[in-house]
Structures are given as C-alpha cells and as structure tokens.
Amino acid sequence: MHMIVCVKQVPDTTEVRIDPVTNTLDRSSAPAIINPYDSHAVEEAVRIKEMHGGKVTVISMGPPNAIEVIKRCIALGADEGYLLSDRAFAGSDTLATSYILSQGIATISRREPVDLILCGKQAIDGDTAQVGPGIARRLGIPQLTYVNHVAGIDPARKEIKVHRKLDDAYEVVVAKLPCLLTVEKEINELSYSSLPNMLRAVRFEPKILTVADLQADLSMMGLKGSPTSVSKIFAPPQRSGGEICSVEQLVEKLLELHSNEKC
Amino acid sequence: MPEKFDAIVVGAGVAGLAAAYKMAQGGLSVVVIERGDYPGAKNVMGGVLYRSMMEELIPEFWKEAPLERPVVEQRFWFMDTDSVVSTGYKGQEWAREPYNCFTVFRGQFDQWFARKCTEAGAVIINETVVEECLLENGRVVGVRTNRPEGELYANVVVLADGVNSLLGKQLGFHQEWKPQQVALAVMEELKLPSEVIEDRFNLDPGMGTTIEIFGGGTLGLVGTSFIYTNKEHISIGVGALLSQIRQARVKPYDLLENLKKHPAVRPFIRNAEPVEYYAHLIPEGGYNAIPKLVGNGVLVVGDAAQLVNGIHREGSNLAMTSGRLAAEAVLRAHQIGEFDARSLSQYEEDLRNSFVIDDLKKYKDSSHLFENNTRYFNEYLPATNMALHEMLTVDGTSKKDKQKLIMQRLLRDSSLYSVGKDLYHAWKAMK
Ligand SMILES: Cc1cc2nc3c(=O)[nH]c(=O)nc-3n(C[C@H](O)[C@H](O)[C@H](O)COP(=O)(O)OP(=O)(O)OC[C@H]3O[C@@H](n4cnc5c(N)ncnc54)[C@H](O)[C@@H]3O)c2cc1C
Ligand SMILES: Cc1cc2nc3c(=O)[nH]c(=O)nc-3n(C[C@H](O)[C@H](O)[C@H](O)COP(=O)(O)OP(=O)(O)OC[C@H]3O[C@@H](n4cnc5c(N)ncnc54)[C@H](O)[C@@H]3O)c2cc1C
C-alpha cells in the first residue's frame, strides 16, 4: 500500500487575531500548526501501514516554512515528505490548490503508484472542505468524504470499506482502490510519537517540488487559475452572553416555555 | 537498538544550550531534550542577559540575536510603604558596543540560541520529558524519556533541567530543596508604546533601564522586586523566599499587585496593558546549597546546580558559564575516551576558579542573614526613608535638631549597639 496524505499548514485559529482595521486574519499573530484534521489523516495512514505494510508519503503545498508541518508528520510516523512550493502557486483558491496538489500526486505516483489518498475533512482556516473532493475529481478516482472509521482493507481485491458520518447515522461504503478519503477527527486518537520518530523528524528534509517538476498548466494555478474573488472578510458579530439565573428561576422559565408550547 | 550520542543534554534553557553549542562545535554528536513546546516556552527571566558570558560562546551575538534593549542605566530603590530612596548609575559606554547587558525575552532568545545549536550540529527534541537517567554499574549511560521507545544512550549526560532538577535528586546529588533555599518570583509583561517607555524612563531611543527594588514591594518579606524596560513592554516582578511566603501566608500575586500600586511605581506603568503573567522558582540557596556537580557520566549545570547570585539577580550568566565549562570538560574527556567522575572533574575545578563560585562564596551568608534578621527589611529600609524625609523636608527645624530626631527615631526600638552590629554583619555578608 502506498498512501499519500495531503497536509496543510494553518494558523492556530485558537490564537489568531482579526485585524480590527482591515478585518482580515492577522496571520502573524498565530503560530503555524498542522491542520488538526490532517494529523488524524496521517495517523490513519500510519495505522493502515502497520496493518498492511507499505509506505506513507505526505505532501503539502505552501511557503518554505511549511517544512515544519511535514516534519511533524514524520514524527507521527510518515516515511516520506514533499513540499510543493513555488511563487507560481501563490494566491491559489481551492480550485487551483486542488489542481496543483493533484499534479503533485500524479508526479509522485508516476514513480510509486499510489493506492490511497487521505485528506482532512476541512482546513480550519479556509473551511471549505473542497480541496479533497477537487483532487479526487481531477485524478478520476472515487471520493469518500466524512470518513470516521476504516472498517477494512482488502489489498488483494483492492477494496476499502469505510464508515461515512451522516447527520444522525453512518453509512457503510465499499470502494475500489485507488480512492481518496477525507477524514473526521474521531477516526482515531493520535498516538504519542516515538522517540526514534521524533529524532527522524528533526533531521528530515522534505523534497521540494516546484512548477518545473510538475507537468502542469501555469494558467490553472496561482491567481490566474483562481476564479474565486474575495469581496469582503469580516469577523462575525460577538455573541451576546446568555442570562444567568438560579435553578429555581430556570425551572420556572422551563415550565413557562413548556406551557406555552402546549397551548 | 536505541541510538547512541556522544552527549545528551536535558533541558534547553541557557545552561543546556550553552553546553550543547560548545560540544556540537567541538564535533561531538549532541541531542538536547526539552519538555516545552519549544526552547524558551517555559523559561522565565526578568530579562537581563549579560553580554560577556554570552560572548564567550558566540562573539558579537548582539548583531543577530533577538534582544530588547541594551541597559544603559541601573537604578536601585530602597522602598518604604509610600516613599523611596534611590540611587543608580547611567553610563554612555553601556550604550555602545560591546555593551554590558541587554533585556531579552527568553521565549525569543532561547529559540534563536537553539537555532545556533542546530546550525552547529546539535539535535533538539522538544515536547519530551526525561523521566530518569539510565544507570549501569554506577554510571549514567543515558536517559529514559516519556515517549514510546524512549531510551537514548550517550557517553555523558548533562543535567540542565532547571531549578527543580528532579533528575539530580533521583541520582542523590541533592535533597528536596528547602523552602528557604528557593524564592518564588512572579512577573508580568505590561505593554506600552516604545516612545512612552523612553519618555517615562528618560531614555534615548532603543536604550533600556533596570530598577532593582529592595523592601516595600515585598510586604516585609525577604525579597526583591524589579522593573525592566523592553522594546514595547515593561517587565515588573517580585520574588521572596518560599519559606517566608508560606509563613506570612501571602499570595505571590498580591505581592505583585501591591508593588504595582506603590506611588513610586504607579506612574511608570500607567495605562500599560498586562499581556503575560509568569511564576517561577529561583534557586537562592547560594554557595551552601550547591549539590554534587559531577558523577560518572554526568554533570549538573545552571539552576539545576543552584548557580544563582540572588543579590545581583544574576542567573543566566552563571548558567551559561557553567554550561560552557561543562562542555569543555566533556570535550577533554572525549579526547581521552574516559567519562568517569574523575575525568569530568575538571568542570568542577574550572567552575571553582571562575567568577561563578567566587561570587556565590562571597554572598554565601547574605540571604540567611536577611531572612533571620528581619530588621534589615522591616526597620532599616523604612529608617533610611525616614532619615531622608526628615533631612529634606523644610519645616523650620534646624538641621542639627533634625539629625537628633533621626537618631532618636532610629534608636527608639533598638540600641545603638544592635544597629551597629546589624550593619557590621550586613557589611561582612556583602563585602
Ligand atoms: C473565499 C476564500 C478566498 C481565498 N483567497 C485566497 C487568496 O487570495 N490567496 C490565498 O493564498 N489563499 C486564499 N484562500 C485560501 C485558499 O484558497 C484555501 O485555503 C486553500 O485553497 C485550501 O482550501 P481550504 O482551506 O478551504 O481547504 P479545505 O478544502 O477545507 O481542505 C481540506 C483538505 O484538503 C487538504 N488541503 C487543503 N489545502 C492544502 C494544501 N495547501 N496542501 C496540502 N493539502 C491541502 C488537506 O488535507 C485539508 O484537510 C482563500 C480561501 C477562501 C475560502
Ligand atoms: C522572575 C525571574 C527573573 C529572573 N531575572 C533574571 C535576570 O534578570 N537575569 C538573570 O541572569 N537571571 C534571572 N533569573 C534567573 C534565570 O532565569 C535562571 O538562572 C536561568 O534561566 C537558568 O537557566 P537554566 O538553563 O539553568 O534553567 P532554565 O532556564 O529553567 O531551563 C531549564 C529547562 O529544562 C527543561 N526541563 C526541566 N526538566 C526537564 C525534564 N525532565 N525533561 C526535559 N526538559 C526538562 C525546562 O523546561 C527548561 O526549559 C530570573 C529568574 C526568574 C524566575
């Protein structure tokens, strides 16, 4: 099994500040972290490797300092890492991002054919959940979104069985490999990295892929390849605080609501 | 088979990083293990970093290290509840290369220093706790961390694990520190525009001041307070011996609040926004508390070895120098290929011949003297304030009568003999 996991470097949104003047994210205010969903995707790939053998490759598109999130994945147990980094990629929206990533994956799989691609459900900054499906579509492979459990893999028949999270149930789906999963956080609990993996991670140097390494159409990437235009970004209005009352008052209010509903 | 290094350093504070840098530069394979998210994440310091000891490691480091302000003035305050006697020194030579000292944020400085270590070839592992030293036939041969497959081996382990040094305790190098051997310090970063800081502290752009405060702020406990200027922050903190904090049942935070309300302090921090709050222990046992420093395959440096000069708020420099001297001893041991206590003992000898042990010896009785005789903080500091108040308040009393009044008040509670004795002891402890 050769698995490729797409990982994105995101600002730690628990610490990010919104610039009150421009209303945009002040990215410098927050440390860069790995998109939390993506670390679960890496963890799942590593578990599949432990069960079925194979190799876990991570790929990220981003600025040179995104090397750190790739190292993080090595600590989690990934074997290989690529950073797609080039000025030509800057300003890409989800359409262009998924194009570039699919080209990166295609480049890698020409040397080492890929059986399974994993993405996070969504990125905590962009939040669109479009990149995973975009990659699958471009590579022409099945996509299984919102996966919260991998029920089994049959390498001989090249099949995977997963649970997809729905609103009030889950769906069991079988698909042919190669395919692409986007995963929920509850798919697994992150393991505590082993010391040898930590050591490997600090010494690891990812391979850098630039535009020249991809057989890609320049007009489909960066600002040129991005039809999205941002008209306005703003911070949502502050939620007003709730009412604080005693247990007695609460009971009264509930009874009141209840009797109102009845009539 | 776990990996083997020439040296393992536990703790990426300035002591550990100094040792790692020097050993890596000497060609040894070095791994530093730090429990924080990154070097500096958990390290607390008021912020004065001394140039000379850092320069022994990285010449002209000020050209690239993240520093706040070169300190051009050091003020000393002797405080009573609502007055202060002050003195100090300001010198232009401190505003020029090579400088005397700088204010720094350890969170930034340590990350930079760690990068220098990495560039020199050391490997730094964060978010990992060393749980114990591995022993074989009475010698330390490595460490066990809290991670799966978490053992690492090395010829030498340098313990730079800071004031608590559980590892030194496990090895029997020292006992649990007694409450009178450690101070608890709390501090805040207060944000202010740099021009406001420069106006309030009377500074040229970019330059810095430190204020060391005795008395007043600590509500009669044995301790000191400080105010340091950074680029866009003021660091303000207060520390007192743990034994006294316990005895007096005060909350450390209340000490800080009390200090911030003092009329001499208030104008400096007006409208400043608190952005960080820290609390940390400082080793204050001094010379008498220095633990065993060298064992078979192991050395102890920095706060872990109680190397802090409390009277002069020096710690980071003693930490760096001890780290460097330990590294030099390891490099020599590496040449002869022997790492037992005898081969490493050069470290202890070099330390004794350096300013580190000299200074600690000089002040070995000071904090005990001040702890056991609270008159210094509770009577003499207020008395100095009272004396100047009397002398400088013009109210028609003749200067001669004022002097008489001052002497009477000074001697109201103690005899001339005991005041003289106290002053003599203080002079002896500090000389
Ligand atoms: C309205 C809008 C406007 C934007 N404008 C700009 C702009 O002008 N300039 C600009 O630079 N960016 C811009 N972005 C950001 C950028 O388009 C997206 O962040 C990026 O395309 C990924 O989309 P997402 O964050 O929604 O990821 P999602 O689709 O939510 O991500 C899902 C999964 O896809 C994978 N993935 C996503 N991105 C990457 C990546 N880079 N590398 C590897 N894997 C990845 C991860 O596995 C992730 O979990 C904009 C985003 C939005 C929503
Ligand atoms: C409020 C305050 C103000 C101060 N002001 C000054 C000043 O102005 N000037 C000055 O020179 N000194 C000052 N000091 C003292 C100075 O901060 C210390 O002396 C100095 O930081 C000691 O460095 P160190 O490397 O020995 O220890 P530390 O900086 O404490 O580093 C120890 C490191 O070891 C790590 N560690 C501990 N145990 C383990 C473990 N088991 N496994 C892995 N990692 C571990 C810790 O996370 C930490 O990073 C001040 C101290 C305080 C508290």
Side-chain angles (χ1 to χ4, degrees), chain B residues 357-374:
Chain B
I357 302 277
D358 262 1
D359 282 358
L360 292 178
K361 221 183 209 159
K362 173 164 146 72
Y363 295 118
K364 70 179 191 305
D365 298 319
S366 55
S367 74
H368 294 292
L369 174 72
F370 293 132
E371 181 182 22
N372 294 335
N373 186 344
T374 48

Side-chain angles (χ1 to χ4, degrees), chain B residues 74-102:
Chain B
Q74 305 201 20
R75 305 184 194 172
F76 302 90
W77 285 3
F78 304 90
M79 228 155 74
D80 196 3
T81 20
D82 58 3
S83 63
V84 64
V85 174
S86 66
T87 171
Y89 174 79
K90 186 172 191 172
Q92 270 311 299
E93 71 282 8
W94 286 350
R96 291 190 290 268
E97 292 190 355
Y99 305 102
N100 178 41
C101 54
F102 305 89

Side-chain angles (χ1 to χ4, degrees), chain A residues 6-9 27 35 37-38 59-62 89-95 97-98 101 118-133 135 223 228-230 233:
Chain A
C6 300
V7 297
K8 184 183 183 190
Q9 183 190 45
R27 283 181 189 258
N35 180 36
Y37 291 93
D38 302 354
I59 182 168
S60 183
M61 183 188 90
F89 304 154
S92 297
D93 67 3
T94 57
L95 194 71
T97 301
S98 54
L101 284 170
L118 297 97
C119 288
K121 177 181 81 168
Q122 69 197 62
I124 58 166
D125 57 344
D127 256 346
T128 67
Q130 291 175 356
V131 172
I135 296 170
L223 282 175
T228 313
S229 76
V230 181
I233 297 179

Side-chain angles (χ1 to χ4, degrees), chain A residues 72 191-200 202-203, chain B residues 3 5 123-127 146-150 152:
Chain A
R72 197 81 198 169
S191 336
Y192 200 46
S193 299
S194 73
L195 193 58
N197 279 344
M198 294 289 287
L199 279 165
R200 222 163 61 75
V202 283
R203 294 163 168 156
Chain B
E3 205 172 323
F5 287 83
V123 169
I124 298 181
I125 302 283
N126 297 316
E127 299 171 276
N146 63 338
R147 293 197 172 269
E149 301 165 69
L152 272 187

